[in-house]
Amino acid sequence: MTCFGRHRQHQRDDPPFAPSVPSLDGSNQRPHPQVGLVWRRITSTLILPGSGNIMSDEAYTVKLCKADTLSTSDMLAEAGIEDKWRHMKTCGENPKLVYGQYFHTMPSTCLGEGWLLRDQFAKALKLKDAQNDWCQAVENLPKYGHCHLNTPFPKNLQYESLVAVLRDDVKLKFHCYETHDLETMVRHSNEYKFKISAFHHSLDAYHVPEIMKRAYKVVPTVANFAGKFGYKKEAFQSSVNAPKILVDASIVMAMKSDHPVLNSQHLVYEAAMARHYGLSEKLAPASITTVPAKALGLDYRIGKITVGMDIDVIIWERHLLALGSHPLQVYIDGIAQIEDVDESKWSEQGKPQESEEYPELVAPKVKAACTSDAKTGVFSGIRKILLKDSEEFSAKGDLTVVIDHGEVVCAGHCAHEAAAFKDAPVYDLGGEGVVVPSLLSVGAPGLGLVEISAEDSTGDGHHNLQPDIAYAIDGLKFGGLHMDEAYKACVQIAVTAPHSEHVIQGVSVTFLTGAQTLVTKGAIIKKKLALHVHIGQDSKSTLFPTVSSQIGFLCTALEKSLADLFSPNDKFTLVARGKIPLVIEVNNRDEIICIIQLKKELEHKGANIKFALLGAIEAWTVAEYLVEAEIGVILKPYLCTPVQCTAQKCLLGTPLNNETGLSHLRKAGIKVGLVVLEGEDVWVCVRT
């Protein structure tokens, strides 16, 4: 179960209130994106409109089972039921941006939003009272004779949905992040006496659970993400511990997506992360099953397995919260959704599986043991150590790593070396420890250049169509939240490139995420690592309106550099001569083939060139040619999603496909890296 948004395209004359517009009218069952959602454990979903309005269109809940009629109405969870629950969303921070900054109209402040919302509810309340008076007048008519009222029943389409909210016929959700917005909506609920079904995106809710309990009559469900943070000012102070804090305060917690920004295919990972950070083994799965079902008013039919409930069941090959787990089959209304499944290969288990538990790190009591000043220590209780070209494993978990003044002096069976450091702090990993080299992030958008992607004032900015090449090192800033979180997630080295509207993105820099400043010793590993370019739909501009013009520009620039004997430091000359690699962000198969052919042609003319592909969603389809051309791949995103028309050839993995793009490329012998779509997801990639 999940809740996700359908983005609306706002026009200047769009009203900030559109509660009576059914978003069902803008829905299309073809093509069928639900196939991927079913594959990723989703059976039902609440489809919400966008969040640019103060009050958006009516939402609806569907079951992700293909209707033979191609009717979205037939997919409704309560199809055929006349008295069904209605759903609406009211929004917090976004209308100020859409109407205030973009359209230069009201609202542009929280005060303006509050006044407009109260004004609409006041008018709806007046209409409700008029309807009640009309009904009372009908009741008071004489029972005999042909008496009737001369006035029709009071109606107003603009306020019909709001009146339904006041009559408790609508499950109302509020989209707002911060404590002051949450409290404002709670005050509105008590002033106009309407129930709040849920708060969505309320990443600050863990700060004010007692305020949440003041909402009119019922305590709202909180529907949040587990790990998203820092992508906008309102999300900057979120915490991975929020789900546990909220449930400990008796607030019901549901995990949600924000499709397509946070893809609904990955909803179960949100529950898994919440479990990792303290949500109980029962409440984590409940956060994507029973809890949202109840919040939607559908807990009498879905959300649990018991007599009389709909047969919406998922068969798992192991515990659903285990890393890499996948469904073997998905049933919706008793109908199997995945074709060609061999059930004879399924195995039975004697008792329910439990999620894996790992021992906590037993840190030494030495005062400075867990600070940046710690240079020497012994790590014990290790099961596996990944070395440069091999790995060492011990089923007993008795491996050790000894560090002296920041250098590893022994890794493996180190009883003798550990004895020599008997006074050093000892970190016990409980026999389940795994030691790996420090991780390297390449291509995480804006890491070190942008702190809050939605706030231009916090970043390096966007290079325009000028041909001058930008250098990431000139805009690099240390000490930000994103860099700190990456460092804590063991991403100690990062490669970041500038962002530009030009085909040429700029020259990347390699740096240590844990450095304090640019001049900290060792902070910069390589000032000018690689030249980055971008090919595809997102690079179309007035200067490069077509993909062919982009590839043509790249080809011309490299060919000219081969013949240029007077500009040895020109970046394309350095690329052509193999001094620095060229990183090309591209996804489409045929565009990738053009890049492969370009490399061959340049090498035939004497170039010594190193290419790497970034993105490369369809690269698996031409794996043999990439091997021949010696081109490496950095997949972005690391979990494939066919959201671009030019990158639909996407291997979704088990059970729909036997492989993913990653596994296919690795089997072909291609060097493959992984990268995230958004900078704040660096640590999520590491943990999942």
Side-chain angles (χ1 to χ4, degrees):
M1 183 79 65
T2 183
C3 307
F4 64 90
R6 176 183 59 83
H7 290 285
R8 299 183 70 242
Q9 181 179 359
H10 290 276
Q11 305 295 334
R12 184 173 294 275
D13 56 353
D14 276 358
F17 288 89
S20 298
V21 179
S23 57
L24 190 67
D25 293 347
S27 299
N28 181 11
Q29 198 194 150
R30 299 183 67 188
H32 303 297
Q34 67 265 28
V35 171
L37 300 185
V38 167
W39 163 69
R40 282 293 191 183
R41 321 139 175 99
I42 306 298
T43 56
S44 302
T45 182
L46 172 66
I47 300 182
L48 289 162
S51 56
N53 306 90
I54 294 179
M55 186 166 283
S56 299
D57 319 351
E58 283 204 30
Y60 57 100
T61 306
V62 299
K63 288 196 174 187
L64 295 173
C65 182
K66 178 182 176 182
D68 293 335
T69 60
L70 298 183
S71 167
T72 307
S73 297
D74 292 343
M75 292 176 61
L76 293 175
E78 295 182 290
I81 300 176
E82 183 175 347
D83 189 19
K84 62 174 67 70
W85 276 110
R86 299 164 64 181
H87 302 273
M88 286 170 53
K89 182 170 74 171
T90 294
C91 304
E93 79 293 343
N94 286 339
K96 294 179 293 183
L97 175 68
V98 173
Y99 291 93
Q101 292 189 31
Y102 295 164
F103 298 161
H104 304 292
T105 61
M106 188 174 181
S108 60
T109 65
C110 293
L111 296 176
E113 282 190 24
W115 186 89
L116 288 172
L117 190 63
R118 294 178 69 245
D119 177 65
Q120 293 291 302
F121 270 112
K123 291 175 179 176
L125 182 60
K126 184 177 180 180
L127 177 59
K128 175 193 170 190
D129 290 341
Q131 292 174 346
N132 290 343
D133 291 343
W134 189 92
C135 292
Q136 186 61 51
V138 171
E139 290 289 326
N140 293 337
L141 288 173
K143 296 182 179 180
Y144 304 100
H146 299 284
C147 300
H148 64 275
L149 296 180
N150 293 326
T151 57
F153 181 75
K155 293 182 179 180
N156 189 322
L157 182 60
Q158 181 177 353
Y159 302 111
E160 187 275 334
S161 294
L162 287 178
V163 171
V165 170
L166 297 174
R167 295 192 185 281
D168 197 25
D169 293 330
V170 174
K171 295 282 187 180
L172 184 62
K173 299 96 173 68
F174 277 95
H175 166 116
C176 47
Y177 287 76
E178 296 184 286
T179 56
H180 58 273
D181 280 336
L182 294 167
E183 185 171 20
T184 295
M185 301 310 171
V186 167
R187 284 200 301 266
H188 292 334
S189 75
N190 285 292
E191 180 178 5
Y192 294 100
K193 294 180 171 50
F194 61 83
K195 296 176 183 177
I196 300 174
S197 170
F199 278 111
H200 288 211
H201 295 231
S202 49
L203 299 184
D204 268 8
Y206 72 99
H207 288 298
V208 289
E210 296 307 312
I211 290 178
M212 310 285 286
K213 297 175 184 178
R214 299 174 189 170
Y216 181 70
K217 282 196 174 181
V218 297
V219 180
T221 298
V222 171
N224 274 353
F225 325 116
K228 295 289 284 185
F229 75 95
Y231 51 93
K232 61 196 304 183
K233 178 260 180 185
E234 292 83 3
F236 206 66
Q237 56 273 13
S238 64
S239 171
V240 293
N241 299 308
K244 184 179 188 308
I245 293 173
L246 286 166
V247 298
D248 287 348
S250 301
I251 302 293
V252 179
M253 185 76 209
M255 307 314 301
K256 72 181 298 292
S257 66
D258 191 22
H259 196 84
V261 179
L262 198 161
N263 200 291
S264 296
Q265 295 182 27
H266 310 149
L267 179 65
V268 73
Y269 298 150
E270 298 298 310
M273 282 189 283
R275 170 72 182 117
H276 177 78
Y277 287 103
L279 206 59
S280 72
E281 185 179 358
K282 291 184 178 180
L283 291 181
S287 70
I288 54 174
T289 52
T290 56
V291 171
K294 185 173 183 179
L296 295 174
L298 294 172
D299 54 322
Y300 70 101
R301 286 182 53 191
I302 62 175
K304 55 187 174 183
I305 302 174
T306 189
V307 176
M309 303 291 281
D310 293 0
I311 307 175
D312 293 354
V313 178
I314 301 176
I315 309 299
W316 296 85
E317 47 92 33
R318 51 180 155 161
H319 197 287
L320 77 164
L321 300 183
L323 183 62
S325 63
H326 62 266
L328 297 172
Q329 185 57 275
V330 178
Y331 296 93
I332 300 178
D333 291 332
I335 302 172
Q337 301 297 307
I338 303 174
E339 299 177 354
D340 301 323
V341 174
D342 186 358
E343 297 183 7
S344 65
K345 295 182 179 180
W346 295 1
S347 60
E348 296 183 4
Q349 59 187 46
K351 60 180 182 179
Q353 289 188 351
E354 298 180 356
S355 62
E356 295 182 68
E357 298 285 346
Y358 297 101
E360 295 289 335
L361 166 68
V362 180
K365 297 181 180 180
V366 179
K367 186 175 182 181
C370 293
T371 70
S372 58
D373 296 327
K375 304 294 183 182
T376 299
V378 177
F379 290 83
S380 62
I382 299 171
R383 180 180 289 266
K384 181 186 292 187
I385 301 175
L386 300 181
L387 305 173
K388 183 178 180 180
D389 300 314
S390 62
E391 67 178 48
E392 189 160 356
F393 176 81
S394 169
K396 297 179 180 179
D398 59 355
L399 300 179
T400 305
V401 172
V402 180
I403 299 175
D404 182 25
H405 291 86
E407 293 187 3
V408 176
V409 297
C410 182
H413 295 282
C414 306
H416 177 72
E417 289 80 1
F421 290 87
K422 60 181 180 180
D423 295 328
V426 177
Y427 306 80
D428 185 2
L429 302 180
E432 297 290 344
V434 177
V435 177
V436 301
S438 61
L439 303 180
L440 168 66
S441 166
V442 178
L447 186 62
L449 295 179
V450 180
E451 189 55 47
I452 305 176
S453 57
E455 300 289 342
D456 290 339
S457 62
T458 70
D460 182 51
H462 303 285
H463 199 56
N464 56 24
L465 291 172
Q466 295 298 320
D468 299 330
I469 295 179
Y471 295 85
I473 189 172
D474 296 333
L476 192 62
K477 293 178 175 62
F478 291 87
L481 178 62
H482 287 85
M483 199 178 292
D484 182 54
E485 290 297 328
Y487 178 72
K488 289 191 291 186
C490 303
V491 179
Q492 296 183 336
I493 304 173
V495 174
T496 294
H499 175 75
S500 174
E501 298 174 14
H502 201 280
V503 169
I504 304 172
Q505 299 298 291
V507 176
S508 56
V509 60
T510 310
F511 59 94
L512 295 178
T513 58
Q516 298 299 310
T517 68
L518 199 65
V519 295
T520 300
K521 183 179 179 181
I524 303 301
I525 297 173
K526 195 160 188 175
K527 291 183 179 181
K528 302 170 184 177
L529 177 67
L531 180 63
H532 292 246
V533 298
H534 192 294
I535 300 295
Q537 174 65 30
D538 292 341
S539 285
K540 290 180 180 177
S541 63
T542 55
L543 188 58
F544 301 104
T546 63
V547 174
S548 56
S549 64
Q550 299 166 15
I551 296 176
F553 165 79
L554 183 60
C555 180
T556 301
L558 288 168
E559 286 181 343
K560 283 183 177 180
S561 67
L562 279 175
D564 189 351
L565 302 177
F566 303 100
S567 303
N569 293 322
D570 175 81
K571 291 300 169 285
F572 280 102
T573 301
L574 293 175
V575 168
R577 297 178 181 178
K579 301 297 184 181
I580 62 173
L582 181 66
V583 179
I584 307 169
E585 187 164 357
V586 59
N587 285 304
N588 179 262
R589 175 194 61 188
D590 298 295
E591 294 163 14
I592 292 173
I593 291 175
C594 287
I595 298 301
I596 295 172
Q597 291 176 334
L598 173 60
K599 185 174 187 289
K600 288 183 177 181
E601 291 171 4
L602 291 169
E603 289 175 336
H604 184 70
K605 295 176 182 180
N608 178 23
I609 200 164
K610 302 173 184 176
F611 278 5
L613 303 183
L614 177 63
I617 289 175
E618 295 188 348
W620 68 273
T621 63
V622 292
E624 64 272 28
Y625 302 109
L626 291 171
V627 172
E628 182 183 347
E630 296 182 336
I631 296 177
V633 169
I634 305 172
L635 288 177
K636 175 185 178 183
Y638 57 92
L639 293 173
C640 180
T641 305
V643 295
Q644 301 178 35
C645 289
T646 55
Q648 290 291 305
K649 297 174 181 64
C650 176
L651 285 178
L652 296 173
T654 306
L656 295 186
N657 308 116
N658 291 327
E659 292 196 69
T660 62
L662 172 62
S663 64
H664 190 95
L665 290 168
R666 283 180 56 83
K667 284 183 179 179
I670 298 172
K671 290 183 178 180
V672 187
L674 304 177
V675 72
V676 294
L677 278 175
E678 299 179 6
E680 67 268 13
D681 293 334
V682 170
W683 73 275
V684 176
C685 179
V686 174
R687 287 164 168 78
T688 60

